[in-house]
């Protein structure tokens, strides 16, 4: 590494995902972080549908209507000498594929937990993906402005359900209507919820673990109880361990309220201090490519059509793994060996986009795509010639037959299907002989979003006929005999022309295995 400027730039990057169960408040916390970074002037809220203030990270029409995130959004801002890339992921379990792939593109994660509900099913699932990658995870326990569960109980649940050590960076002084503030263990201060009740002070420094006795808060019975709880935590709890945090074995825990913007800035500043700069990335051959490598490389982890419906644009999101991107540079697309000039490239600053002149490892760039890219593609400069590890694909569980309602609009129907399928959230199959279209997805909401987008973005009304749940299994073309197909196992082709069976149930699969014992069937994951 002989380029100190590149090293300095890479070391200033912090690229992380926000994960949670739906409605735990992660989109709201994203808004507040953008506010601190000066990327937006006013935090929109997904609750404020009547006002027209929608969350800046929820750009799709259906997201605004439902008040949920169903796509991963990418936003960037500068704060305290760091260039921050946030990836706000869908919380809804039907969109787990998009989230899983996004988690391959980050160096750390912030997990948002509802203080009243604790750890919910989707949080647990997403945490396991992060844990498997061994990346640092920071926890924000949200909604302190409402009555919730006891803080100690929430920490115990973290350790028992997620099997990770927790270290409370701060501790609530009351909650709900009785919320008075946060006892900041790490920064040795008290953060006051209502400064006007404490001589206008927002942060009160601690002296020997206590605040000055002349402040009204000092006499509060809840505050006195918190002093006892903190003493117990410091004596009996886990020690703060930066090495364990780096391995993902300990999570620093912050309490606060994203909606009232309380405790968020403290979490952000401490997070930026301990979150890692960009990691090395593994290639398919098992080699590691350093972020400080001079030549540019990156991989496509997401494709999104119609982010600007007026322009019918398609954007391939690329995580830069090494070197420097410069506008107009030539790169090679690993899968095809094709040379591509990267001229029209964008970055996302909240709800605005800016053309990128330069970006380095850790940054996320959006490349305007005319159909060149697929999810998982590697791009590299010069002689680097790398292929990064394959991104996860999921075997769908639910299936629908789909056709155009208006036969005169076949062109927009086919264009819409092809573009939306390339985003990777739904899978497309054709029956082997009749070539009827079948869609596969991991959750029902995917179909609703597909139908909505086909109508609103491609003016193509579709007829969708449920086929229920099926078990998809791929077969080697060399082993295939069309007569293997029956009413219990539909023979189809995927979009790469590979043959597969859609089995009615486990019984149909066992029947097939008994009849054809030498035929091996495969699933995606």
């Amino acid at each position: 590494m002989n380029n100190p400027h590149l090293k300095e730039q890479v070391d200033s990057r912090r690229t992380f995902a926000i994960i949670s169960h739906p409605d735990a408040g992660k989109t709201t916390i994203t808004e507040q972080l953008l506010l601190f970074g000066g990327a937006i002037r006013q935090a929109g809220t997904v609750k404020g549908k009547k006002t027209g203030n929608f969350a800046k990270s929820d750009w799709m029409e259906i997201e605004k209507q439902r008040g949920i995130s169903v796509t991963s959004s990418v936003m960037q801002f500068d704060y305290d000498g760091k260039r921050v890339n946030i990836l706000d992921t869908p919380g809804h379990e039907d969109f787990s594929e998009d989230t899983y792939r996004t988690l391959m593109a980050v160096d750390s994660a912030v997990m948002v937990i509802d203080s009243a509900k604790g750890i919910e099913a989707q949080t647990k699932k997403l945490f396991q993906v992060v844990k498997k990658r061994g990346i640092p995870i920071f926890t924000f326990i949200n909604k302190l402005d409402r009555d919730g569960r006891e803080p100690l109980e929430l920490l115990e649940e973290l350790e028992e359900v997620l099997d990770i050590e927790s270290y409370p960076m701060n501790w609530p002084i009351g909650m709900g209507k009785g919320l008075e503030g946060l006892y900041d263990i790490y920064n040795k201060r008290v953060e006051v919820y209502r400064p006007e009740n404490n001589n206008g002070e927002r942060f009160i420094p601690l002296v020997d673990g206590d605040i000055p006795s002349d402040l009204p808060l000092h006499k509060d019975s809840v505050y006195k109880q918190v002093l006892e709880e903190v003493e117990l935590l410091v004596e009996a709890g886990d020690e703060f361990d930066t090495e364990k945090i780096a391995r993902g074995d300990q999570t620093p825990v912050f309490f606060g309220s994203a909606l009232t913007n309380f405790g968020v800035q403290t979490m952000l500043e401490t997070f930026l201090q301990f979150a890692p700069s960009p990691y090395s990335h593994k290639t398919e051959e098992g080699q590691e490519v350093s972020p400080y490598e001079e030549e540019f490389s990156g991989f496509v982890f997401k494709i999104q059509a119609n982010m600007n419906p007026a322009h019918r644009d398609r954007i391939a999101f690329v995580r830069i793994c090494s070197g420097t991107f410069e506008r107009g540079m030539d790169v090679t697309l690993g899968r095809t060996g094709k040379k591509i000039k990267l001229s029209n490239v964008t970055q996302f600053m909240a709800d605005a986009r800016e053309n990128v002149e330069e970006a380095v490892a850790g940054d996320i760039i959006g490349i305007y795509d005319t159909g060149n890219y697929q999810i998982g593609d590697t791009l590299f400069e010069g002689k680097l010639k790398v292929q990064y590890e394959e991104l996860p694909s999921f075997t769908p569980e639910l299936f629908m037959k789909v056709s155009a309602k208006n036969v005169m609009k076949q062109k927009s129907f086919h264009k819409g299907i092809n573009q939306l399928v390339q985003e990777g959230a739904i899978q497309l199959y054709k029956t082997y002989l009749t070539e009827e279209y079948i869609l596969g997805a991991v959750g029902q909401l995917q179909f609703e979003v597909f139908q909505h987008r086909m109508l609103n973005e491609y003016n193509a009304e579709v007829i969708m006929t449920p086929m229920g749940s099926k078990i998809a299994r791929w077969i080697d073309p060399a082993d295939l005999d069309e007569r293997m197909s029956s009413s219990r196992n539909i023979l189809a082709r995927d979009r790469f022309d590979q043959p597969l069976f859609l089995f009615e149930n486990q019984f149909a699969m066992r029947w097939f295995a008994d009849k054809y014992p030498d035929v091996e069937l495969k699933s995606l994951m």
Side-chain angles (χ1 to χ4, degrees):
M1 173 67 220
N2 54 15
N3 186 340
H5 175 68
L6 175 62
K7 184 177 189 312
E8 186 185 321
Q9 289 292 303
V10 171
D11 287 348
S12 73
R13 265 51 182 179
R14 297 291 183 272
T15 303
F16 68 97
I18 300 187
I19 62 172
S20 80
H21 197 83
D23 204 35
K26 70 180 173 49
T27 302
T28 311
I29 200 171
T30 305
E31 292 278 295
Q32 301 299 2
L33 295 175
L34 292 171
L35 201 59
F36 286 124
I40 56 175
R41 290 189 184 85
Q42 175 191 0
T45 165
V46 289
K47 294 281 189 288
K49 298 185 189 71
K50 287 180 183 171
T51 66
N53 282 343
F54 302 106
K56 296 293 181 289
S57 56
D58 289 341
W59 59 270
M60 199 188 284
E61 194 58 40
I62 193 167
E63 295 183 312
K64 294 174 183 178
Q65 289 174 11
R66 285 172 176 258
I68 57 168
S69 299
V70 296
T71 56
S72 298
S73 303
V74 180
M75 288 145 291
Q76 187 184 72
F77 65 88
D78 293 324
Y79 188 86
D80 201 19
K82 304 285 191 293
R83 171 64 56 93
V84 183
N85 294 287
I86 307 180
L87 285 77
D88 175 23
T89 62
H92 201 287
E93 64 183 350
D94 287 7
F95 292 82
S96 51
E97 278 194 80
D98 196 19
T99 303
Y100 278 48
R101 285 193 285 260
T102 296
L103 290 173
M104 301 298 118
V106 299
D107 303 309
S108 58
V110 170
M111 176 168 62
V112 182
I113 292 172
D114 185 318
S115 65
K117 295 174 182 172
I119 295 159
E120 298 171 87
Q122 187 63 4
T123 314
K124 189 176 175 183
K125 258 187 186 176
L126 296 171
F127 171 82
Q128 285 162 351
V129 180
V130 174
K131 184 77 174 160
K132 197 174 172 184
R133 280 203 60 207
I135 62 175
I137 184 156
F138 298 76
T139 301
F140 187 81
I141 296 181
N142 192 21
K143 302 189 181 179
L144 267 198
D145 55 311
R146 304 178 191 178
D147 288 325
R149 288 160 57 184
E150 287 296 320
L152 269 174
E153 191 188 323
L154 289 163
L155 287 194
E156 279 170 16
E157 186 179 46
L158 258 180
E159 305 211 351
E160 285 168 19
V161 176
L162 301 182
D163 190 27
I164 188 171
E165 272 187 20
S166 62
Y167 182 87
M169 304 294 275
N170 57 23
W171 202 249
I173 305 169
M175 64 174 63
K177 287 182 179 172
L179 178 61
E180 293 293 344
L182 292 164
Y183 186 100
D184 192 334
I185 300 166
Y186 180 75
N187 290 304
K188 296 183 172 54
R189 65 190 185 189
V190 163
E191 188 168 348
V192 180
Y193 188 57
R194 296 182 185 85
E196 63 277 12
N197 295 347
N198 276 276
N199 301 344
E201 296 291 328
R202 165 71 74 184
F203 297 107
I204 304 169
L206 295 171
V207 179
D208 296 328
D210 205 348
I211 58 173
S213 57
D214 60 336
L215 290 173
L217 184 61
H218 191 272
K219 302 171 184 67
D220 192 289
S221 59
V222 177
Y223 172 73
K224 287 177 177 171
Q225 187 188 330
V226 164
L227 288 182
E228 291 171 18
E229 287 174 358
V230 167
E231 193 178 347
L232 180 68
L233 284 168
V234 171
E235 283 178 17
D238 296 314
E239 284 187 26
F240 185 73
D241 190 325
T242 52
E243 286 182 15
K244 282 184 179 178
I245 292 167
R247 292 196 305 268
D249 290 334
Q250 184 183 89
T251 178
V253 179
F254 302 85
F255 289 85
S257 164
L259 194 64
T260 60
N261 202 357
F262 182 62
V264 180
Q265 187 172 4
T266 296
M267 187 277 289
L268 172 64
E269 288 171 358
T270 316
F271 167 79
L272 293 178
Q273 193 179 335
F274 293 104
S277 55
Y279 286 120
S280 298
H281 273 75
K282 268 190 181 172
T283 66
E284 277 188 345
E285 293 79 33
Q287 297 168 317
E288 300 241 338
V289 178
S290 164
Y292 308 125
E293 159 68 46
E294 296 278 338
E295 291 190 302
F296 167 88
S297 70
F299 63 87
V300 177
F301 66 92
K302 172 184 171 66
I303 290 174
Q304 189 72 57
N306 305 324
M307 287 192 74
N308 183 345
H311 294 108
R312 289 275 177 260
D313 59 349
R314 231 172 79 101
I315 290 181
F317 289 82
V318 174
R319 156 71 194 232
I320 302 178
C321 299
S322 69
T324 305
F325 159 82
E326 289 173 346
R327 191 176 180 184
M329 74 188 300
D330 291 317
V331 297
T332 302
L333 176 56
R335 176 174 46 82
T336 61
K338 185 179 173 183
K339 285 266 195 285
I340 296 176
K341 192 179 188 70
L342 300 182
S343 304
N344 203 353
V345 176
T346 187
Q347 275 178 329
F348 302 85
M349 311 289 283
D351 53 351
R353 298 191 218 171
E354 294 181 358
N355 279 331
V356 189
E357 297 298 329
E358 188 177 287
V360 300
D363 285 335
I364 308 293
I365 55 174
I367 301 174
Y368 285 86
D369 180 23
T370 53
N372 290 314
Y373 304 108
Q374 292 177 12
I375 286 169
D377 276 347
T378 295
L379 301 171
F380 57 83
E381 179 190 12
K383 298 172 184 173
L384 195 56
K385 289 188 181 170
V386 292
Q387 178 60 50
Y388 287 111
E389 287 182 306
E390 198 176 343
L391 295 180
S393 290
F394 295 80
T395 304
E397 293 163 15
L398 298 174
F399 295 85
M400 288 255 191
K401 281 190 177 171
V402 62
S403 57
K405 191 167 186 179
N406 184 345
V407 290
M408 304 300 287
K409 291 193 173 176
Q410 290 288 341
K411 192 176 175 185
S412 9
F413 171 74
H414 289 292
K415 182 183 179 183
I417 275 198
N418 289 330
Q419 290 202 351
L420 296 184
V421 161
Q422 283 170 340
E423 292 181 7
I426 49 170
Q427 309 292 334
L428 176 66
Y429 310 99
K430 289 179 187 174
T431 52
Y432 212 76
L433 298 174
T434 56
E435 297 214 329
E436 289 176 275
Y437 277 13
I438 296 173
L439 295 180
V442 294
Q444 180 63 34
L445 187 56
Q446 287 283 19
F447 295 128
E448 293 174 36
V449 170
F450 169 81
Q451 193 167 13
H452 180 94
R453 292 185 67 190
M454 284 292 284
L455 181 61
N456 285 272
E457 295 173 20
Y458 298 94
N459 196 25
E461 207 171 340
V462 296
I463 299 167
M464 299 185 75
T465 313
M467 298 170 68
S469 59
K470 304 278 180 201
I471 303 168
R473 291 294 182 268
W474 278 254
I475 182 171
D476 189 319
D479 295 334
L480 179 64
D481 182 333
E482 288 176 26
R483 289 171 296 183
M484 291 172 171
S485 180
S486 74
S487 59
R488 288 179 175 171
N489 57 322
I490 300 165
L491 178 58
R493 287 188 180 95
D494 65 17
R495 70 187 181 100
F496 304 110
D497 255 359
Q498 295 304 302
L500 73 152
F501 288 107
L502 301 177
F503 289 97
E504 202 169 63
N505 48 33
Q506 291 285 350
F507 173 79
M509 231 165 78
R510 282 195 298 271
W511 180 86
F512 184 94
D514 290 342
K515 191 168 181 184
Y516 306 106
D518 298 329
V519 174
E520 187 188 354
L521 299 174
K522 293 179 180 174
S523 63
L524 292 177
M525 262 191 98

